[in-house]
Amino acid sequence: MTQAILSKSLYESDFLLWTQDTVAKLKAKDFDHVDLENLIEEIESLGKSEKKEIKSRLTTLLEHLIKRIYVDMPQEFNGWERTIRNQRTEIEFLLDDSPSLQALWNDTFDIAFRAALRDVRKEYSQKGYQFPDVWQFGRDINTMLNVDFWE
């Protein structure tokens, strides 16, 4: 019991040291002294973080795709295209590291598209630009990561 209290205290006071201590205990197979409660919480948090990151990156990708496709501002094209390339690369990295995120793609896409559309409309509707209510192109992973829809 004392060890669990010390581990929790370490978790709260020095997270890096707690991770190092936890890894050392796991490697030594000293499972009786591992702070399981906080370890479980951290592992759950990692999964949530991955889901949040793919949603965030897909939202940014969609925002810039919408702008590049529908907003006629050639002076901005290069910046939007750079962001599109960067987000596509980061999404590829995420999917490579966690292929199971692919199973969430369709649900994530719908949420990300609504958020991206809301933000782009807020930014450009007063300037007379109109945006469709639905994504009018392919939405599968391969298409989203490789097709330049504006060409």
Side-chain angles (χ1 to χ4, degrees):
M1 184 76 169
T2 308
Q3 183 63 34
I5 292 169
L6 287 175
S7 293
K8 185 166 185 173
S9 175
L10 183 59
Y11 176 81
E12 292 172 350
S13 64
D14 189 334
F15 183 74
L16 177 60
L17 188 57
W18 175 84
T19 62
Q20 293 168 336
D21 181 63
T22 301
V23 167
K25 288 174 182 171
L26 290 170
K27 285 181 176 180
K29 297 183 179 10
D30 184 9
F31 304 123
D32 290 336
H33 297 106
V34 171
D35 177 7
L36 282 177
E37 183 179 322
N38 287 313
L39 180 59
I40 290 167
E41 183 179 317
E42 288 303 319
I43 292 172
E44 286 176 337
S45 174
L46 287 173
K48 290 177 186 174
S49 176
E50 294 266 310
K51 291 177 188 177
K52 186 176 180 180
E53 184 172 357
I54 192 100
K55 193 182 305 178
S56 174
R57 292 197 177 277
L58 184 54
T59 300
T60 301
L61 172 62
L62 284 163
E63 283 176 14
H64 287 79
L65 282 170
I66 292 167
K67 288 188 259 189
R68 180 58 184 88
I69 295 166
Y70 299 105
V71 178
D72 186 21
M73 297 177 82
Q75 70 277 15
E76 303 294 338
F77 289 174
N78 190 40
W80 292 336
E81 290 175 21
R82 186 178 332 100
T83 299
I84 290 165
R85 287 190 305 274
N86 290 343
Q87 293 306 311
R88 285 175 166 172
T89 299
E90 293 300 323
I91 290 170
E92 285 178 10
F93 291 159
L94 274 170
L95 294 174
D96 188 52
D97 288 344
S98 298
S100 62
L101 288 170
Q102 293 178 26
L104 306 172
W105 185 262
N106 284 332
D107 291 337
T108 301
F109 188 95
D110 291 335
I111 293 164
F113 180 73
R114 283 193 303 273
L117 186 60
R118 179 195 63 229
D119 291 347
V120 172
R121 280 183 171 157
K122 195 174 276 189
E123 188 174 353
Y124 291 97
S125 289
Q126 291 91 355
K127 297 175 184 170
Y129 291 103
Q130 299 293 316
F131 306 99
D133 292 329
V134 295
W135 181 250
Q136 300 180 349
F137 305 95
R139 59 186 275 154
D140 62 280
I141 295 169
N142 186 52
T143 300
M144 289 301 298
L145 297 182
N146 294 294
V147 174
D148 294 334
F149 302 103
W150 56 91
E151 290 183 348

